[in-house]
Amino acid sequence: MDTALARLIAGQVCIHASMTGMRLAAPLLALREGYSPAAVGALLALFALTQVFLSLPAGRYADRHGLKRPVGWAVGVASAGAAGALLWPVFPMLCVAALMTGGASGAAMIALQRHVGRAAHDSEQLRRVFSWLAIGPAVSNFVGPFFAGLLIDHAGAAPGSTTGYRAAFALTALLPVATWFWVRATVELPPIIAPAGGTRPRAWDLLGDAGFRRLLLVNWLLSSCWDVHTFVVPLLGHERGLSASVIGSILGAFAIAAAAIRILMPLVAARLREAAVVTWAMVATALLFAVYPLLPTAWALGLCSVLLGFALGSVQPMIMSMLHQITPHHRHGEALGLRLMAINASSVAMPVLFGSAGALIGVAGLFWLVGGVVGMGSRTAARLGQ
């Protein structure tokens, strides 16, 4: 990994950690102020909701202006949203901060992914750089909540005081500024001029390509598996009488395994083939979902969680590599935006669907249903390389 890529990853970590820190602090403050779980759930949904509507415009903007201008706007918006929560720590402002930090994080991610993909010279380098870049969210998912939680508990006169929350919001306002520090020295790549003539392309035209449709479908299926695991494991643990710390450890083992496989993948990028990795990940996920609800002990559930983390953690770098290979160079940002829009729309809608399905067929049935669909989808993944 060269210095330029390391700086971009550091910038990605900072702005994403701003969002994840806000995603911890804002709901906790809302609960302290007596808001209902439904209100807190709506607040959490706002972090993803902005990206559903802004991802496509952000992708087009990145296609036109490159890296620095989109990231600069994202830094300003994220810092302004967090600063608003710092100055006025009330529920309406927390909702605004959720919208602003969530949207800014998604827009910056699109610009960074587009730049890194364009800088790669071949498919092997694409696999390598996106494997490194995928480590960033894993790091920020730890950094943001960890340090925000420390400030909430220790920055004020008493744990959970308003001063502690203000300190956490101050951190989330400063982190995007650090993103600009890391990104500002990056050399912009030459712009790509779209072919002249013809009708103005629309985002949905990308779906006319069969390979892109398959890629989005496979990405959506595997993203849903990530969501269903996060949603269902607490329910399964509660049924088994496991403590909150044990359930958290099972989910933590999944996250660590997903990060570990992404650290390993750049070292073996030359031996990997995108379609093969994604296909085997889907087959492995289907098998693990089949046995997950049958496991009798917490240790067995933890081992299955680790294996599932290895499978699902390997997917994103391969998806990103293929996306950059099959879409027109002047529309990479648009394609990235369409992908992010689909994932976030799924993250908003799927928990409601999972809850309804789980009430009808039970936790085990939900695992088996999703596993069966993913297993059938592996045939689509096998065709990605064609």
Side-chain angles (χ1 to χ4, degrees):
M1 179 170 55
D2 59 25
T3 304
L5 179 58
R7 293 177 68 88
L8 292 177
I9 293 173
Q12 178 194 30
V13 167
C14 289
I15 197 164
H16 195 256
S18 172
M19 187 269 290
T20 58
M22 179 65 69
R23 198 166 56 192
L24 172 82
L28 288 179
L29 180 56
L31 289 170
R32 195 201 72 172
E33 295 300 311
Y35 286 89
S36 68
V40 173
L43 172 62
L44 284 170
L46 295 177
F47 287 95
L49 188 62
T50 320
Q51 298 183 36
V52 174
F53 299 102
L54 289 185
S55 293
L56 273 176
R60 294 193 188 105
Y61 192 80
D63 282 332
R64 292 195 302 269
H65 299 291
L67 173 69
K68 292 184 184 178
R69 190 180 296 184
V71 171
W73 278 108
V75 165
V77 170
S79 291
L86 167 64
L87 297 174
W88 301 285
V90 295
F91 187 78
M93 189 64 233
L94 296 180
C95 293
V96 173
L99 289 168
M100 294 177 73
T101 56
S105 174
M109 194 82 69
I110 290 170
L112 287 163
Q113 289 170 342
R114 177 186 177 277
H115 180 88
V116 168
R118 281 200 58 209
H121 302 300
D122 53 38
S123 60
E124 179 185 339
Q125 193 173 15
L126 277 171
R127 293 191 291 270
R128 182 177 293 111
V129 296
F130 278 118
S131 296
W132 285 120
L133 197 65
I135 298 169
V139 174
S140 57
N141 279 329
F142 169 77
V143 169
F146 178 76
F147 286 103
L150 282 181
L151 291 170
I152 290 169
D153 284 341
H154 301 291
S161 67
T162 300
T163 302
Y165 281 101
R166 287 181 184 273
F169 295 141
L171 173 68
T172 59
L174 290 173
L175 280 170
V177 179
T179 293
W180 184 247
F181 169 80
W182 291 114
V183 172
R184 63 187 174 87
T186 302
V187 178
E188 288 278 13
L189 298 172
I192 296 179
I193 307 301
T199 60
R200 183 168 179 255
R202 297 176 300 172
W204 306 112
D205 295 338
L206 292 170
L207 297 176
D209 181 83
F212 188 73
R213 288 200 307 271
R214 294 188 197 115
L215 189 65
L216 275 190
L217 174 62
V218 168
N219 197 184
W220 175 75
L221 286 173
L222 290 165
S223 177
S224 297
C225 290
W226 199 296
D227 289 338
V228 79
H229 182 259
T230 303
F231 178 82
V232 175
V233 165
L235 301 180
L236 184 64
H238 179 72
E239 282 187 358
R240 303 285 175 84
L242 302 178
S243 67
S245 61
V246 171
I247 295 171
S249 298
I250 293 171
L251 291 174
F254 171 84
I256 292 171
I261 194 65
R262 290 174 178 178
I263 294 172
L264 176 64
M265 289 177 72
L267 307 178
V268 295
R271 299 188 179 93
L272 301 177
R273 293 295 175 267
E274 293 93 341
V277 171
V278 175
T279 301
W280 284 108
M282 296 186 80
V283 171
T285 298
L287 294 174
L288 291 168
F289 269 29
V291 302
Y292 214 120
L294 304 177
L295 300 175
T297 66
W299 284 105
L301 291 172
L303 176 60
C304 195
S305 184
V306 168
L307 296 175
L308 190 63
F310 287 146
L312 293 179
S314 67
V315 170
Q316 182 179 333
M318 303 296 105
I319 293 288
M320 300 302 295
S321 173
M322 282 188 286
L323 184 145
H324 278 77
Q325 293 179 59
I326 67 176
T327 54
H329 292 290
H330 65 285
R331 303 186 71 184
H332 279 168
E334 207 170 6
L336 289 166
L338 193 58
R339 170 189 169 272
L340 192 62
M341 183 185 73
I343 290 175
N344 281 284
S346 175
S347 295
V348 172
M350 283 299 109
V352 178
L353 181 60
F354 294 153
S356 302
L360 290 174
I361 61 178
V363 172
L366 184 56
F367 264 121
W368 294 332
L369 174 64
V370 175
V373 173
V374 172
M376 291 188 290
S378 63
R379 294 182 60 185
T380 301
R383 298 170 61 194
L384 288 175
Q386 298 176 5

